[in-house]
Amino acid sequence: MISDLHLGTRTGTDLLGRPEIRSKLIGWLQNADEVVLLGDSIELRDRPLDEALTVATPFFEELGEALAGRRVTLVPGNHDHQLASAWLRRRRDEPLGLGERSLPQPGDPLGLLARRMGDTRLELAYPGVWLRPDVYATHGHYLDCHNGVRTFECLGRAVSERLVRRGGYSTPEDYEAVLTPLYRLFYRVAQWAWAWHGVRLGKALIRSVESPERRRSRLEPGMRAMANVVEALGIGADYVLFGHLHHPGEWSTRDGVRLVNTGTWRGANAVAASVLVRSERPPELTYPLSG
């Protein structure tokens, strides 16, 4: 399982945009029974949708060839939430559970990628997926609703939360009601270059007033916020795997749930991690590019 690939970043900081790194990861994944892409796999906030899918296609083609008929499960996150939007609209009258699976339809963005993967099956799962009865995986973007760190995302969530005026969080629909309007706005902005540059400027201004020490200290508040998500949704798992924070590591909640963050594959200083889930052993953080 890997997360936060951010394929197609306009700044070119996605590691898998480099063929030699992509080849090494694909070789490492080729013996897996299933590969889970745990959110922010495709960067849909930096460029129009068609461009982003085109840039991401080589990775999906090579992964499909390597897995040869096995399954790839894609769990959308905040940067690629649009990959789930058509499916969410089709089922809007049905309650959203913790681990819903679906096959992409021909007109869906994922449908375009599924056709490029040969006989490897591409499935959508949202807002997460059960890998074993005791192991649950989700991107982790719901934690922004409990996180007081002054990131661009959390500040936007605070505004959306006031407009929506929700009474709290206890179901996936509660989180989606606050976050989906925000993600829809960011996605629409990415379709116009001039607006995208405005958003980048806003992010830069927020970062300019944040000290490096504060940026480095985001991990612990993020882990606490993720623990709040686990409690609010009643996720009955011994292990919860998630991305979003871009810092691979492990942490235990007060109830003994083990949280495992999967890191990121974006940025010059990224620690490119993955999580290996076997049939009985605890999930294991691994580093495919090491050695």
Side-chain angles (χ1 to χ4, degrees):
M1 184 180 64
I2 51 178
S3 77
D4 295 88
L5 306 181
H6 292 274
L7 294 166
T9 56
R10 196 182 288 266
T11 54
T13 54
D14 51 327
L15 296 183
L16 297 182
R18 297 162 56 182
E20 70 278 11
I21 293 181
R22 192 166 67 241
S23 176
K24 188 167 185 177
L25 175 63
I26 295 293
W28 191 82
L29 293 173
Q30 65 183 354
N31 294 322
D33 295 323
E34 177 181 5
V35 171
V36 177
L37 305 176
L38 197 62
D40 289 1
S41 301
I42 306 176
E43 182 54 72
L44 297 183
R45 294 185 180 180
D46 272 12
R47 61 176 81 227
L49 175 62
D50 290 347
E51 285 185 24
L53 294 177
T54 297
V55 175
T57 293
F59 171 77
F60 283 88
E61 287 179 335
E62 293 168 23
L63 183 59
E65 182 178 356
L67 291 185
R70 283 161 280 168
R71 183 168 67 181
V72 173
T73 299
L74 187 145
V75 180
N78 50 319
H79 282 244
D80 56 4
H81 189 265
Q82 185 69 15
L83 298 177
S85 62
W87 173 74
L88 288 170
R89 286 195 300 270
R90 286 194 294 268
R91 64 180 315 283
R92 60 179 175 268
D93 295 328
E94 304 174 35
L96 183 61
L98 290 176
E100 306 277 356
R101 282 187 177 268
S102 174
L103 290 175
Q105 300 298 306
D108 296 348
L110 279 185
L112 301 175
L113 293 174
R115 292 200 297 271
R116 307 298 293 267
M117 298 185 70
D119 60 352
T120 295
R121 182 185 179 100
L122 178 62
E123 291 189 7
L124 170 74
Y126 193 76
V129 59
W130 289 96
L131 303 177
R132 292 189 330 219
D134 62 335
V135 179
Y136 180 74
T138 183
H139 177 62
H141 49 297
Y142 286 177
L143 71 82
D144 287 334
C145 294
H146 303 280
N147 199 346
V149 174
R150 297 175 70 83
T151 64
F152 187 81
E153 201 92 4
C154 291
L155 292 171
R157 179 271 305 166
V159 173
S160 179
E161 198 171 54
R162 290 192 178 190
L163 294 174
V164 174
R165 296 185 179 89
R166 303 292 295 189
Y169 298 98
S170 61
T171 68
E173 284 93 345
D174 293 333
Y175 290 98
E176 292 294 320
V178 170
L179 296 174
T180 297
L182 185 65
Y183 299 159
R184 187 181 299 123
L185 173 62
F186 290 157
Y187 169 75
R188 288 176 177 171
V189 164
Q191 309 312 299
W192 295 281
W194 63 269
W196 174 82
H197 286 295
V199 170
R200 299 289 292 186
L201 178 60
K203 288 184 177 182
L205 288 173
I206 291 173
R207 290 180 182 137
S208 70
V209 299
E210 184 180 36
S211 67
E213 292 76 16
R214 185 178 292 273
R215 285 196 294 272
R216 286 193 294 268
S217 66
R218 289 178 183 174
L219 178 59
E220 187 172 340
M223 287 289 193
R224 288 198 300 267
M226 191 63 203
N228 288 336
V229 174
V230 172
E231 182 177 357
L233 292 178
I235 300 173
D238 295 330
Y239 303 92
V240 174
L241 318 179
F242 71 107
H244 193 55
L245 295 180
H246 292 192
H247 292 283
E250 302 184 37
W251 199 73
S252 291
T253 72
R254 61 186 179 186
D255 296 323
V257 179
R258 195 68 176 165
L259 304 179
V260 182
N261 189 265
T262 51
T264 182
W265 290 69
R266 183 184 70 177
N269 299 317
V271 181
S274 68
V275 177
L276 181 61
V277 180
R278 297 183 175 92
S279 58
E280 296 180 356
R281 301 180 190 176
E284 177 187 355
L285 262 175
T286 58
Y287 302 89
L289 301 184
S290 299

